[in-house]
Amino acid sequence: MSIDTVGNAERNPDQPQPFAELGLKPDEYQRIRDILGRRPTSSELAMYSVMWSEHCSYKSSKVHLRQFGDKKPETDTLLVGIGENAGVVDIGAGWAVTFKVESHNHPSFVEPYQGAATGVGGIVRDILSMGARPLAVMDPLRFGPADAADTKRVLPGIVAGVGGYGNCLGLPNIGGEIVFDESYAGNPLVNALCVGAMRHEDIHLASAKGVGNLVVLYGARTGGDGIGGVSVLASETFDADGPAKRPSVQVGDPFMEKLLIEATLEVLHAGLVEGIQDLGGAGISCATSELASNGEGGMHVWLDRVLLRDPTLSPEEILMSESQERMCAIVEPAKIDDFLALCKKWEVEAVVIGEVNASGRLTVEWHGEEIVNVPPRTVAHEGPVYERPYHRPEWMDALQADAPTADRITRPVTGAQLQETLLDLIASPNLASKAWVTSQYDRYVLGNTVLAQPEDSGMVRIDEETGLGVAISTDCNGRFAKLDPYTGAQLALAESYRNVSATGAVPLAVTNCLNFGSPEDPEVMWQFSEAVRGLADGCLQLGIPVTGGNVSFYNQTGDTPILPTPVVGVLGVIDDVDRRTPIAWGPDGELIYVLGDTRDEFGGSEWAHRKGHLGGMPPLVDLDRERLLSEVLVAGSRDGMLTAAHDVSDGGIAMTLVEMALRSGVGARMWLPDDADPFVYLFAESAGRAIVVIPRSEEMRFTEMCAARGLPAFRVGVVDSGLGADAGFDAATQVLQFGDLFTVHIEEVRALHESVLPALFG
Amino acid sequence: MARVVVDVMLKPEILDPQGRAVQGALGRLGLTGVADVRQGKQFVITLDGAMDADRAAVLERLAGELLSNPVIEDFTLTVQEDS
């Protein structure tokens, strides 16, 4: 095997190189030649090609993502901002939390189980590399139609992969989403979120500081799996033929990851580490170039010291390998023995592969020959930046004009028709119980989970003494984003913010996973730019900063992109998880209130989706109202005025009440305002609403608070376990009575709600 | 009667956590010098009657679609005819 050295590159400047096959454009290749003043060696070409891929360099999104920094609200909670592995937020009492959501869409389509599993593993290492102990994961998932053949292939594998990795690792999975839509048929979305906590003094950053310090690679051995996996896979579009080309994917080992977590936290707490970085996409290329450019600027690596699973790997392959469960640490020479001893204790292999220097160059040596000599910033941070053209699609006007009005789609009027509509929504894959999926995940391991699906947010306790905890929700209605990407992104933010508030937590920070089609399509690029603008403006208005996130482009089948899907995760803090607000109401006599205004808004709604219709405008978004609602929900929780609260979104008020009744098992009677159109009142998906349940003793205090703050509050019902006989069942039967329109039997509804996914995938 | 044996192994470049665990156990239980362990699975399929070209084609296809995951695994298929 001949090795392409720097000397060889100088001697043979005109040797043709396969830059196009590695995904580099001719001008990008020329730029590498200009930077180096010669042709790159094959190892350098490998490094640049993966690091300059869309996935690693954000070359199409960078110019837009700057808005998250430019429009950052004034806040003193952000300890580490965008740009590091994950942002870090101060939650008080000396505690900090870090959280982030990332995509693993393309690998999960090719190999559902391992793709999803390694997606979980990757985000956990991101959180770990900040110095935090990972506490919980969440997984927003999106699939094609529930009854499509390929959904039956990918969904069980993806769910098993998420569960398999997380369960083995011992991390609770506390929530997420499962959404079905035609547009994801050839391109499912697997987003993975992890949250971790640490003391303020334990925050660590990815930088190689201190000349003479050692670069240690530890964890699993490097193999040939996933060579170019993330980078090449993530930048390619699947054609309509499906997975004909099957690139090598990574296989994860959660038990190795568990050892890596414990070893890493122990070396960090022992003060043995100057800088740390996880190995994800682009493997050693990424870790060494990022560490070097964030630190002293120089690093020398002896690549032949890397421990290999497959001894035949070439240096190019070692640089690009995406083998899982590896980390890279910067350690002072005086501490290296202690570091290696702790790794040995945890049965984690570790080897010194390099040294920090002030040369300003990243140099890599292979058995005595120099194969890489580059300025590390040009690899890690100064990749190409594209101002991709974008324009509003011509079809937007027609789409927005095509509202699901009564003359366009017949609306239910009679009690029987309304009941049928509700039952249809309950049995729709998007609104049906997700228990078949979430029961495959361990939601309570570690013993700190206080809320998990189907609650509005996942919530975990962080401090066992004080009960301090965090709540997280992820949301996005891609149909809203298709109808208006700016508003759709804000609606995703609003829903997530509302879900966190409904549990009683104060929203603090935002992460996002922006899943879109090809950035080379100006219409997709417009959707992306609008969504980013909407999200940045929304975060500024709500006063919560974006702490980091991820962009996933090229999510399309042929020329058809997915629905624009800017998944938003909001994190909130609660000073004592004992005062959390669940969605289940309490005993007889408690009062049910709707907060906020209901309008005739069905564009992008689940009801319209069931009718096969997508058109019109998404619901109005009023972030000042969202903020007010959040304040009332948090104050109501803090002052002990609320028994239950539930965000009103998919399926409207009717579906929200059904979910509360199912969670509680107790019936209720509701009435509609006299002037309300029953269909609109029950099923519209207007934003800025929640249903709260209040003990009678708190009614005056709560309604006065709403009135004083200017939040509309309407009493619409009462918890009542004695309605069975009136509805024609035996007296003990629990029913939900919708005025004089119709009644549903809660246990019958439960059977329906819980049977949908098992029937499809069980 | 024909017997078809399908051996399925993870591709060489793919990590095999089970094999690694077995390798560790072998060492702990006294077998020194184990360089590597790879774990696979074997299917033994007994057919009524003889093998023919049509059945061979179906078997070849299903070995790749059902018995193995061609993204991460390789298979070999051998036919043993009983007289």
Side-chain angles (χ1 to χ4, degrees):
Chain A
M1 185 166 52
S2 76
I3 300 299
D4 190 20
T5 62
V6 172
N8 190 37
E10 281 162 351
R11 283 190 299 277
N12 304 298
D14 300 322
Q15 183 180 313
Q17 293 189 285
F19 63 87
E21 290 80 349
L22 289 166
L24 287 166
K25 300 274 188 287
D27 55 326
E28 292 172 343
Y29 176 66
Q30 186 55 45
R31 207 170 132 210
I32 297 168
R33 294 189 69 121
D34 294 344
I35 289 168
L36 298 176
R38 56 173 165 79
R39 76 160 172 88
T41 66
S42 55
S43 295
E44 289 166 342
L45 188 65
M47 287 181 85
Y48 277 107
S49 71
V50 285
M51 290 301 290
W52 285 12
S53 69
E54 186 66 57
H55 184 82
C56 291
S57 72
Y58 292 82
K59 58 188 168 190
S60 302
S61 53
K62 232 177 201 170
V63 292
H64 300 282
L65 298 177
R66 286 191 186 120
Q67 294 176 63
F68 293 138
D70 296 345
K71 296 181 188 171
K72 189 168 62 117
E74 284 297 319
T75 168
D76 48 10
T77 60
L78 200 57
L79 299 173
V80 175
I82 299 173
E84 285 291 338
N85 285 311
V88 180
V89 186
D90 181 10
I91 58 164
W95 285 100
V97 291
T98 179
F99 76 128
K100 189 179 177 186
V101 58
E102 271 195 352
S103 63
H104 225 222
N105 304 338
H106 294 101
S108 304
F109 175 67
V110 175
E111 166 45 42
Y113 184 98
Q114 297 296 347
T118 52
V120 174
I123 193 67
V124 167
R125 285 193 300 283
D126 264 332
I127 295 309
L128 177 63
S129 67
M130 298 307 296
R133 173 171 285 281
L135 294 178
V137 294
M138 291 175 100
D139 286 86
L141 308 175
R142 282 167 175 75
F143 301 100
D147 53 2
D150 202 53
T151 303
K152 287 187 166 38
R153 174 184 74 91
V154 296
L155 185 142
I158 285 171
V159 168
V162 167
Y165 203 96
N167 295 353
C168 289
L169 202 51
L171 285 179
N173 191 312
I174 57 171
E177 304 160 84
I178 295 156
V179 179
F180 300 95
D181 185 275
E182 178 89 41
S183 78
Y184 307 114
N187 199 311
L189 302 186
V190 175
N191 294 174
L193 179 147
C194 183
V195 58
M198 72 199 110
R199 304 296 298 171
H200 283 187
E201 59 272 21
D202 292 331
I203 296 172
H204 280 78
L205 301 178
S207 68
K209 296 231 164 63
V211 169
N213 284 345
L214 303 172
V215 182
V216 187
L217 183 65
Y218 66 106
R221 290 193 166 208
T222 300
D225 40 358
I227 289 179
V230 166
S231 319
V232 178
L233 273 177
S235 302
E236 274 182 26
T237 304
F238 293 112
D239 53 38
D241 298 336
K245 190 165 59 176
R246 287 174 155 141
S248 107
V249 295
Q250 314 96 305
V251 170
D253 178 359
F255 299 110
M256 184 70 224
E257 180 112 330
K258 175 65 177 167
L259 296 175
L260 199 61
I261 292 173
E262 299 306 330
T264 300
L265 291 175
E266 192 163 348
V267 294
L268 290 175
H269 289 155
L272 303 178
V273 174
E274 304 306 309
I276 191 157
Q277 169 79 296
D278 61 304
L279 272 75
I284 295 176
S285 297
C286 179
T288 54
S289 61
E290 286 193 354
L291 281 165
S293 48
N294 295 348
E296 304 293 341
M299 183 183 288
H300 183 74
V301 175
W302 295 276
L303 197 63
D304 46 273
R305 293 188 184 176
V306 172
L307 295 172
L308 299 180
R309 209 167 67 231
D310 173 1
T312 65
L313 288 182
S314 70
E316 295 87 348
E317 290 172 320
I318 298 168
L319 284 168
M320 291 171 87
S321 165
E322 293 177 348
S323 288
Q324 299 291 295
E325 290 96 22
R326 297 180 299 163
M327 301 278 287
C328 198
I330 305 298
V331 182
E332 284 178 19
K335 296 176 178 171
I336 189 68
D337 289 343
D338 291 344
F339 183 98
L340 296 177
L342 279 178
C343 286
K344 191 159 186 200
K345 170 184 153 186
W346 289 104
E347 296 182 14
V348 169
E349 289 187 307
V351 64
V352 174
I353 62 161
E355 192 177 286
V356 178
N357 59 42
S359 65
R361 311 287 290 188
L362 171 63
T363 49
V364 177
E365 183 180 322
W366 178 254
H367 295 293
E369 305 220 59
E370 188 175 67
I371 56 169
V372 171
N373 185 333
V374 297
R377 283 199 65 81
T378 64
V379 180
H381 298 303
E382 290 162 8
V385 175
Y386 290 132
E387 301 253 5
R388 301 263 191 211
Y390 57 89
H391 64 77
R392 185 173 182 272
E394 283 175 19
W395 45 260
M396 279 299 288
D397 287 336
L399 182 72
Q400 292 184 337
D402 182 25
T405 49
D407 55 316
R408 179 85 174 67
I409 303 177
T410 311
R411 294 180 168 188
V413 179
T414 66
Q417 290 167 339
L418 291 162
Q419 183 186 37
E420 192 188 331
T421 301
L422 178 58
L423 294 175
D424 178 67
L425 288 173
I426 290 168
S428 72
N430 280 340
L431 301 192
S433 166
K434 300 304 184 295
W436 182 84
V437 169
T438 54
S439 60
Q440 297 185 46
Y441 304 154
D442 192 336
R443 282 165 286 166
Y444 299 105
V445 63
L446 297 177
N448 282 320
T449 305
V450 288
L451 292 176
Q453 281 276 45
E455 299 288 340
D456 277 342
S457 304
M459 185 184 287
V460 289
R461 185 190 298 111
I462 287 178
D463 189 330
E464 293 189 16
E465 297 287 313
T466 63
L468 178 72
V470 292
I472 307 177
S473 176
T474 68
D475 293 283
C476 179
N477 181 334
R479 298 187 304 268
F480 290 165
K482 170 100 182 235
L483 297 179
D484 181 346
Y486 181 91
T487 306
Q490 293 200 335
L491 284 164
L493 172 67
E495 185 178 349
S496 194
Y497 180 85
R498 202 183 314 130
N499 274 325
V500 164
S501 309
T503 63
V506 181
L508 271 193
V510 176
T511 185
N512 58 68
C513 193
L514 307 172
N515 306 276
F516 287 78
S518 167
E520 294 161 47
D521 177 343
E523 297 183 349
V524 170
M525 209 54 215
W526 176 81
Q527 293 175 325
F528 178 79
S529 69
E530 283 294 285
V532 171
R533 193 169 67 83
L535 195 52
D537 288 350
C539 290
L540 181 60
Q541 202 176 338
L542 290 175
I544 50 176
V546 174
T547 62
N550 170 249
V551 177
S552 175
F553 278 132
Y554 299 99
N555 293 292
Q556 53 187 62
T557 306
D559 290 333
T560 312
I562 59 164
L563 292 177
T565 312
V567 172
V568 178
V570 170
L571 177 138
V573 63
I574 183 164
D575 47 17
D576 184 357
V577 296
D578 280 351
R579 71 160 176 83
R580 68 187 176 274
T581 313
I583 67 170
W585 52 55
D588 278 3
E590 291 194 331
L591 301 169
I592 301 170
Y593 269 79
V594 168
L595 308 181
D597 295 307
T598 303
R599 302 178 203 90
D600 184 344
E601 292 177 310
F602 288 94
S605 69
E606 189 57 33
W607 174 76
H609 182 61
R610 291 293 286 171
K611 300 288 175 194
H613 183 270
L614 178 57
M617 295 299 288
L620 285 176
V621 60
D622 178 350
L623 295 173
D624 288 335
R625 170 59 67 80
E626 297 287 353
R627 199 167 180 159
L628 178 61
L629 177 64
S630 167
E631 286 167 7
V632 164
L633 289 167
V634 172
S637 160
R638 191 169 279 149
D639 294 347
M641 290 187 267
L642 301 180
T643 304
H646 193 11
D647 140 75
V648 179
S649 49
D650 309 82
I653 287 174
M655 195 63 208
T656 306
L657 286 169
V658 165
E659 288 167 358
M660 297 175 87
L662 286 173
R663 192 70 170 152
S664 138
V666 178
R669 182 157 44 91
M670 79 152 316
W671 47 86
L672 281 76
D674 291 340
D675 55 345
D677 171 332
F679 169 70
V680 170
Y681 199 74
L682 291 174
F683 297 107
E685 296 189 6
S686 302
R689 294 180 303 164
I691 290 179
V692 292
V693 181
I694 310 160
R696 281 187 188 271
S697 57
E698 301 294 338
E699 185 181 16
M700 284 290 277
R701 195 153 69 112
F702 185 79
T703 51
E704 278 170 11
M705 175 174 76
C706 291
R709 294 180 186 229
L711 181 68
F714 308 96
R715 189 161 84 174
V716 300
V718 60
V719 178
D720 190 339
S721 63
L723 299 167
D726 285 354
F729 302 102
D730 67 66
T733 301
Q734 298 302 304
V735 300
L736 196 51
Q737 191 185 79
F738 290 87
D740 52 6
L741 291 164
F742 65 96
T743 300
V744 293
H745 182 311
I746 291 176
E747 293 313 314
E748 284 177 14
V749 164
R750 187 189 307 281
L752 180 64
H753 196 233
E754 291 180 356
S755 68
V756 179
L757 293 196
L760 286 160
F761 305 106
Chain B
M1 299 267 275
R3 250 155 62 107
V4 182
V5 178
V6 181
D7 286 302
V8 179
M9 291 296 292
L10 282 170
K11 289 185 177 178
E13 72 271 20
I14 296 285
L15 174 70
D16 178 5
Q18 289 187 89
R20 247 187 78 100
V22 172
Q23 184 182 349
L26 288 172
R28 282 194 300 278
L29 297 173
L31 183 65
T32 52
V34 179
D36 193 22
V37 176
R38 306 285 291 174
Q39 178 176 333
K41 57 188 170 184
Q42 184 179 67
F43 299 87
V44 180
I45 301 162
T46 309
L47 300 177
D48 286 329
M51 186 62 139
D52 56 41
D54 286 350
R55 292 172 115 182
V58 174
L59 262 168
E60 184 78 22
R61 178 170 63 79
L62 290 181
E65 286 180 8
L66 174 71
L67 304 182
S68 72
N69 175 353
V71 180
I72 58 174
E73 292 170 329
D74 292 327
F75 67 88
T76 56
L77 191 154
T78 46
V79 183
Q80 303 163 349
E81 292 283 354
D82 277 359
S83 52

